[in-house]
């Protein structure tokens, strides 16, 4: 949680100068071209025709990059500032292709569609911030080009039918729901469930006073929920990433963080220490497995890996709190 407060500083897109906006567009087109070529390389053996599509897409991105460089030279000279996506708020992080191999056609198609959507969002927002006529024209043309790209499904040789269109619409709706509610909610549930384990169980075994333990759990859960909710809302306005309303994401994150901590704090309203602790431990067990299931169900994380990460990590934090409380 603290890393989200103290990570490297990112700038808002409106704070960039027109030269910096052009530099960001140039580096983004360069990155996209390299990514498409990497996808082509990963697909070439099993899907040679699809690999050719991504090679053509890389050529398109390179032509966009050259147009942007020419404009930058005309307006600002040959020295292009170094500014990349990771320096600007709102961009979704993209994993290098070697982290997501082996590349399947469905996975690559999904990632490429996200790239095109985000490129369109960037040019649309950047267009609102520039005054120079030539820059506005180029950014507008690039926004139209990104939006007017043939359907990637069609370009990969997949026939469009009314049923396929409906499936695509449902997939888009589901992806938006995951980005706006599930992803921030899951992050909050994980943080609230795991980060509060140590202080709650340390307080329980140190004092063996159920009321004092409940107060510790209540304060830790609500404090974490407030901080995580505000951080999520301020972290990304959703304009470039397409993750939706920051208010909705902040509420989902904050509420689930608080719920994650309160789940094993509420049992300590029971006066008997061992009864309360047993119930709290059972609640922790259910919480950790629920997190693993949600990761598998919505984030497509292999269930075994999700279980190892969440349950093992949570168990270690729980054991830490018990050991400190008994010290």
């Amino acid at each position: 949680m603290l890393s989200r407060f103290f990570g490297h500083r990112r700038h808002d897109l409106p704070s960039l100068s027109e030269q910096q906006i052009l530099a960001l567009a140039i580096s983004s087109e360069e990155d996209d071209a390299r990514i498409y070529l990497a996808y082509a390389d990963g697909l070439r053996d099993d899907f040679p025709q699809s690999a050719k599509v991504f090679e053509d897409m890389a050529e398109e991105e390179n032509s966009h990059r050259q147009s942007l460089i020419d404009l930058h030279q005309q307006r600002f000279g040959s020295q292009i500032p170094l500014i990349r996506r990771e320096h600007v708020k709102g961009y979704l992080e993209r994993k290098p292709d070697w982290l997501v191999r082996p590349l399947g056609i469905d996975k690559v198609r999904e990632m490429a569609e996200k790239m095109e959507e985000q490129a369109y969002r960037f040019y649309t927002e950047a267009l609102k911030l520039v005054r120079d006529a030539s820059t506005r024209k180029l950014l507008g043309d690039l926004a139209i080009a990104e939006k007017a790209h043939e359907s990637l499904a069609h370009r990969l040789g997949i026939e469009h039918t009314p049923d396929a269109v409906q499936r695509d619409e449902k997939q888009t709706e589901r992806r938006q729901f995951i980005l706006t509610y599930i992803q921030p909610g899951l992050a909050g549930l994980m943080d609230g469930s795991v980060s509060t384990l140590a202080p709650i169980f340390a307080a329980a075994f140190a004092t063996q006073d159920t009321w004092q333990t409940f107060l510790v759990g209540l304060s830790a859960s609500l404090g974490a929920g407030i901080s995580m909710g505000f951080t999520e809302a301020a972290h990304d306005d959703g304009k470039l990433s397409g993750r939706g309303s920051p208010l909705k994401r902040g509420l989902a994150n904050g509420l689930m963080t608080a719920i994650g901590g309160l789940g094993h704090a509420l049992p300590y309203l029971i006066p008997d220490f061992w009864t309360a602790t047993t119930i709290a431990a059972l609640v922790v067990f259910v919480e950790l497995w629920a997190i693993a299931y949600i990761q598998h169900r919505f984030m497509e994380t292999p269930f075994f890996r999700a279980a190892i990460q969440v349950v093992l990590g949570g168990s270690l934090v729980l054991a830490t709190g018990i050991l400190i409380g008994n010290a």
Side-chain angles (χ1 to χ4, degrees):
M1 181 174 68
L2 293 177
S3 64
R4 301 181 70 181
F5 278 105
F6 298 108
H8 68 270
R9 182 170 177 262
R10 295 188 178 191
H11 292 276
D12 293 312
L13 185 64
S15 70
L16 302 183
S17 66
E18 292 192 12
Q19 182 184 17
Q20 290 172 326
I21 288 175
L22 279 177
L24 175 60
I26 291 169
S27 68
S28 296
E29 296 289 355
E30 289 175 345
D31 288 345
D32 286 353
R34 282 195 291 267
I35 290 171
Y36 287 140
L37 285 176
Y39 289 169
D41 181 63
L43 294 172
R44 190 168 290 110
D45 291 340
D46 297 324
F47 306 98
Q49 293 303 315
S50 296
K52 183 63 172 64
V53 170
F54 283 105
E55 289 174 353
D56 293 342
M57 292 174 72
E59 289 182 10
E60 289 182 25
E61 302 305 307
N62 282 326
S63 69
H64 295 170
R65 176 182 64 89
Q66 189 58 55
S67 298
L68 289 161
I69 290 176
D70 292 342
L71 179 60
H72 187 280
Q73 288 177 327
Q74 293 173 14
R75 293 196 59 197
F76 304 108
S78 300
Q79 191 67 32
I80 302 175
L82 177 60
I83 180 169
R84 307 183 71 86
R85 287 189 176 98
E86 56 265 30
H87 302 148
V88 179
K89 280 185 179 180
Y91 268 111
L92 287 175
E93 295 182 2
R94 293 176 183 166
K95 293 182 179 180
D97 72 289
W98 55 269
L99 283 180
V100 293
R101 293 204 179 207
L103 294 177
I105 190 65
D106 291 335
K107 183 184 294 185
V108 170
R109 174 190 169 189
E110 180 183 358
M111 291 187 289
E113 286 176 340
K114 288 180 180 178
M115 289 168 61
E116 288 191 344
E117 178 187 0
Q118 192 174 72
Y120 169 72
R121 287 177 179 275
F122 165 70
Y123 286 122
T124 302
E125 292 300 318
L127 188 61
K128 302 174 184 177
L129 304 173
V130 299
R131 296 179 179 275
D132 177 75
S134 59
T135 305
R136 288 181 59 84
K137 181 181 184 306
L138 179 57
L139 295 181
D141 289 345
L142 291 177
I144 293 172
E146 295 292 347
K147 190 67 175 177
H149 274 171
E150 289 181 279
S151 164
L152 186 58
H154 178 72
R155 298 179 74 175
L156 293 177
I158 301 172
E159 183 180 359
H160 262 255
T161 65
D163 289 341
V165 172
Q166 291 181 10
R167 286 197 300 271
D168 287 344
E169 291 176 348
K170 289 180 179 178
Q171 288 176 354
T172 299
E173 184 179 3
R174 181 177 184 273
R175 182 166 63 244
Q176 188 63 56
F177 177 74
I178 289 174
L179 289 173
T180 304
Y181 296 103
I182 299 297
Q183 192 179 68
L186 178 61
L189 183 61
M190 291 176 64
D191 189 271
S193 297
V194 176
S195 68
T196 58
L197 283 176
I200 290 176
F201 282 90
F205 281 89
T207 65
Q208 297 203 2
D209 185 321
T210 57
W211 177 247
Q212 294 300 321
T213 301
F214 169 73
L215 292 179
V216 170
L218 181 65
S219 60
S221 302
L222 295 182
I226 292 170
S227 66
M228 287 288 288
F230 274 105
T231 302
E232 176 63 38
H235 180 67
D236 173 15
D237 61 12
K239 291 181 179 179
L240 292 180
S241 65
R243 296 178 64 211
S245 165
L247 177 61
K248 294 177 181 177
R249 290 186 287 105
L251 286 173
N253 188 280
L255 286 173
M256 294 308 294
T257 301
I259 289 172
L262 288 173
H264 43 269
L266 289 174
Y268 283 98
L269 288 172
I270 300 172
D272 182 74
F273 172 77
W274 286 110
T275 301
T277 300
T278 300
I279 295 175
L282 291 174
V283 170
V284 170
F285 178 82
V286 172
E287 287 174 343
L288 296 179
W289 282 103
I291 292 170
Y293 172 77
I294 294 171
Q295 280 190 321
H296 173 67
R297 174 69 174 80
F298 292 100
M299 311 306 293
E300 299 181 359
T301 304
F303 186 77
F304 181 73
R305 189 174 76 185
I308 291 295
Q309 291 174 342
V310 176
V311 178
L312 179 60
S315 299
L316 290 174
V317 175
L318 175 63
T320 300
I322 294 174
L323 290 173
I324 292 175
N326 283 315

